[in-house]
Amino acid sequence: SPPQAPNRYGLYGGRSLGAGHVGVGMELGYPFVSARGVYGVLERLDLGLGVDSVYGLMIEPRASARLTLMDSPNVSLAFVVDGGHAFFLRPPDTEDRGARYLSGRRDWNVAPGLVASFQGDSPRAWRPYLDVRALFAFDTDPVQQDPLSGVPPAWKLDAAVLVRLGVEFPVGEKTSYAVTFGGDFRSRSTDAEFMPTLSVGIVSALF
């Protein structure tokens, strides 16, 4: 039988798709369900559009970019950034531990960071990856928790550190399954100090 064509197309690692290639992916997990599409505008630069949702309680269209800084046959490193505007089902003054608490997102969000990945030499070698980012969440309608604290500010910025570990499992020349777990380390006093995350998904290169 002919040798297998290697699968090097991933959405979550440090290697870009390459100029002219298109990739799509879907994830189902906690707290998000997500979908995205990515296009390789240059050999080492991908741009993408997607959407994250806390199962209808929040919907956030997001734009993304991935710039590969180092790419060897086995190890890749990229600068990544994504961000968007979140739409919440409930206003903040009626929400206790809802979509804002679970997601860590607010009205506007941006998350720059680095992702590193490894892939062996075999055509169907797994691709483990580590994704570390800083999340900057801009709240344009903050709620004052203490009634004696006066009028709340016009907007508020909070930060968090997002850590993701995962693996893409190639099952064909252009398709892979993905499993990701990790957590968010948050600075906002009204949120959990640590929020675990878990997702499973599928990734495919269209061409």
Side-chain angles (χ1 to χ4, degrees), residues 148-170:
L148 300 179
S149 297
V151 178
W155 63 277
K156 189 174 184 292
L157 169 64
D158 290 288
V161 175
L162 317 181
V163 180
R164 304 286 186 268
L165 289 166
V167 183
E168 291 176 319
F169 304 93

Side-chain angles (χ1 to χ4, degrees), residues 70-129:
M70 182 190 74
D71 190 21
S72 71
N74 301 114
V75 179
S76 301
L77 176 69
F79 171 78
V80 289
V81 62
D82 64 357
H85 178 54
F87 300 90
F88 294 91
L89 183 64
R90 299 179 60 183
D93 56 348
T94 66
E95 188 179 81
D96 183 15
R97 295 196 173 185
R100 292 170 179 82
Y101 178 85
L102 293 173
S103 68
R105 310 274 177 87
R106 292 302 188 264
D107 300 289
W108 293 93
N109 309 279
V110 60
L114 294 172
V115 57
S117 59
F118 174 85
Q119 185 167 19
D121 297 324
S122 66
R124 298 293 181 266
W126 296 358
R127 288 189 297 271
Y129 57 89

Side-chain angles (χ1 to χ4, degrees), residues 35 49 86 174 200:
L49 294 173
K174 295 183 178 181
V200 294

Side-chain angles (χ1 to χ4, degrees), residues 124-202:
R124 298 293 181 266
W126 296 358
R127 288 189 297 271
Y129 57 89
L130 169 64
D131 189 328
V132 179
R133 307 195 192 195
L135 170 65
F136 300 100
F138 298 85
D139 191 347
T140 60
D141 190 21
V143 174
Q144 193 69 268
Q145 299 295 322
D146 186 351
L148 300 179
S149 297
V151 178
W155 63 277
K156 189 174 184 292
L157 169 64
D158 290 288
V161 175
L162 317 181
V163 180
R164 304 286 186 268
L165 289 166
V167 183
E168 291 176 319
F169 304 93
V171 294
E173 181 181 350
K174 295 183 178 181
T175 302
S176 304
Y177 295 123
V179 176
T180 306
F181 66 95
D184 302 350
F185 299 86
R186 300 177 182 170
S187 63
R188 189 180 295 111
S189 61
T190 56
D191 284 2
E193 293 183 2
F194 175 77
M195 179 63 69
T197 63
L198 175 67
S199 67
V200 294
I202 187 169

